[in-house]
Amino acid sequence: MEKLIELQDIKKYFVVPNGLLHAVDGINLSIEKGETLGIVGESGCGKSTLGRVMLRLHEPTSGHILYDGMDITTFRKDEMVRMRRYMQIIFQDPYASLNPRFTVAQIIREPLRLHKLCASPAEETERVEALMEMVGLSKRAYNAYPHEFDGGRRQRIVIARALAINPQFIVCDEPVSALDVSVQAQIINLMMELQEKLGLTYLFISHDLSVVKYISDNIGVMYLGQMIEKASKRAIFQRPLHPYTIALLSAIPSLDVERKKKKIILKGEITSPINPPAGCRFAMRCAFAREECFARDPELCEAEPGHYVACHRHREIMSGDLTYPS
């Protein structure tokens, strides 16, 4: 398949009083057209920052972002405005991302007018109504305001606005984490239907591994700004190779009462993302860490076809010689 997005050694550092905060540190990845790449990790790992950097809502400190072969890190502001037609974002909190003074119709119409995609007001109205129907909003919502809706329908408004200009790539920044479980399922199913219908490509950011497993084709696991494991969802869930990924998967609730699954409790201090020292950033919490882990950064290498991991001891985990106690 053809690559739509490619990141080459992307870094994003923020200046803070004590030095540089390494929010995203040397990320390399690619997303193929029509694919959903899920990004998981605990709060503060840099996954949301990564999504914003991909769209240049945050300017990268260094590295290159390739969109359909074009290096958009070199684009001027006016060129990036035109690129917004192809790259959109769905934020975590739908109410915070909607203008409370605009009606639903005005919210969805705004990007159409900004990019001058309709020849007349009548064409705009027709397009807005078609988008509302596509995302499951009734016609009576046309002149309503965001505060009149629940979280699920607000997120449908956000999705309609994102789709208004026919994008190819959408960053989904925890789009269902603020919703009830039943509503989450509705929104996820809607996004999957739209992807199949419109040929969309997603970067899906979440801390909920169950949701990521359901919607994603491939999964990347982040820890303190770095990609520590990336593989197909099947490989990640059936044969994780990084100690952190193994610990994350152990925390997923299970309805199988007969299956005794031990939760792995991570202990130790979290390495500071501000001027981090050399070595693996997970070493302070890793039960398998040895001297090499504290001295040298592990590289993200291909442990087996399509399965990448950054761990000095991944071969021992692969062979079964290194396991968490049961």
Side-chain angles (χ1 to χ4, degrees), residues 30 39-40 65 77 81 108 181 199 246 249 262 298 314 320:
S30 62
I39 299 292
V40 298
I65 306 163
K77 185 176 180 180
V81 169
I108 300 172
V181 174
I246 297 170
L249 293 176
K262 180 178 174 61
H314 72 270

Side-chain angles (χ1 to χ4, degrees), residues 66-115:
L66 303 183
Y67 182 90
D68 211 10
M70 300 179 290
D71 188 351
I72 66 172
T73 46
T74 63
F75 280 18
R76 302 185 307 271
K77 185 176 180 180
D78 60 317
E79 292 175 312
M80 278 309 301
V81 169
R82 289 193 291 273
M83 281 300 299
R84 299 296 174 214
R85 283 196 57 184
Y86 309 102
M87 310 167 72
Q88 286 292 301
I89 185 168
I90 299 171
F91 292 102
Q92 178 178 359
D93 184 353
Y95 192 57
S97 63
L98 295 172
N99 190 329
R101 297 184 178 182
F102 278 17
T103 65
V104 171
Q106 288 173 318
I107 289 168
I108 300 172
R109 184 182 289 118
E110 188 177 21
L112 295 173
R113 290 186 171 175
L114 179 64
H115 292 276

Side-chain angles (χ1 to χ4, degrees), residues 73-320:
T73 46
T74 63
F75 280 18
R76 302 185 307 271
K77 185 176 180 180
D78 60 317
E79 292 175 312
M80 278 309 301
V81 169
R82 289 193 291 273
M83 281 300 299
R84 299 296 174 214
R85 283 196 57 184
Y86 309 102
M87 310 167 72
Q88 286 292 301
I89 185 168
I90 299 171
F91 292 102
Q92 178 178 359
D93 184 353
Y95 192 57
S97 63
L98 295 172
N99 190 329
R101 297 184 178 182
F102 278 17
T103 65
V104 171
Q106 288 173 318
I107 289 168
I108 300 172
R109 184 182 289 118
E110 188 177 21
L112 295 173
R113 290 186 171 175
L114 179 64
H115 292 276
K116 301 176 181 176
L117 298 181
C118 296
S120 66
E123 187 179 342
E124 286 180 0
T125 300
E126 184 179 346
R127 175 65 175 157
V128 169
E129 290 177 347
L131 286 162
M132 289 175 62
E133 183 179 357
M134 187 184 297
V135 301
L137 289 169
S138 63
K139 288 185 178 181
R140 62 184 178 182
Y142 190 88
N143 290 315
Y145 291 86
H147 73 269
E148 299 178 52
F149 299 98
D150 58 22
R153 282 183 288 183
R154 287 174 189 159
Q155 199 62 287
R156 290 175 189 270
I157 299 168
V158 174
I159 293 170
R161 179 180 61 185
L163 295 176
I165 51 179
N166 297 316
Q168 296 175 315
F169 175 62
I170 300 179
V171 172
C172 311
D173 187 6
E174 303 207 38
V176 296
S177 63
L179 307 178
D180 293 337
V181 174
S182 60
V183 181
Q184 285 186 13
Q186 295 171 20
I187 297 299
I188 291 296
N189 287 332
L190 170 64
M191 292 178 66
M192 293 176 72
E193 289 169 12
L194 292 170
Q195 182 177 35
E196 184 176 354
K197 181 178 180 180
L198 304 175
L200 299 171
T201 303
Y202 292 146
L203 178 78
F204 192 92
I205 299 165
S206 180
H207 62 272
D208 189 331
L209 282 160
S210 300
V211 172
V212 170
K213 182 182 181 181
Y214 185 67
I215 195 173
S216 300
D217 299 300
N218 295 301
I219 296 174
V221 182
M222 286 187 67
Y223 186 80
L224 288 183
Q226 296 180 327
M227 189 71 71
I228 59 169
E229 189 163 5
K230 181 179 179 293
S232 67
K233 66 178 177 184
R234 182 174 182 178
I236 289 287
F237 277 83
Q238 291 189 356
R239 198 184 185 194
L241 298 180
H242 196 285
Y244 177 67
T245 309
I246 297 170
L248 275 184
L249 293 176
S250 77
I252 299 175
S254 175
L255 296 176
D256 189 351
V257 294
E258 295 183 1
R259 181 185 170 200
K260 293 183 179 179
K261 185 178 179 182
K262 180 178 174 61
K263 288 183 172 59
I264 298 168
I265 308 299
L266 296 176
K267 300 178 181 179
E269 293 292 326
I270 298 176
T271 302
S272 173
I274 302 173
N275 303 327
C280 175
R281 294 182 189 178
F282 184 62
M284 295 290 288
R285 304 170 74 190
C286 183
F288 308 139
R290 57 188 180 188
E291 186 176 346
E292 178 187 20
C293 302
F294 293 95
R296 184 168 61 88
D297 288 358
E299 294 183 3
L300 189 70
C301 62
E302 191 170 19
E304 51 190 13
H307 196 149
Y308 299 84
V309 62
C311 178
H312 291 303
R313 310 199 67 181
H314 72 270
R315 297 191 185 280
E316 295 164 87
I317 295 174
M318 285 179 67
S319 65

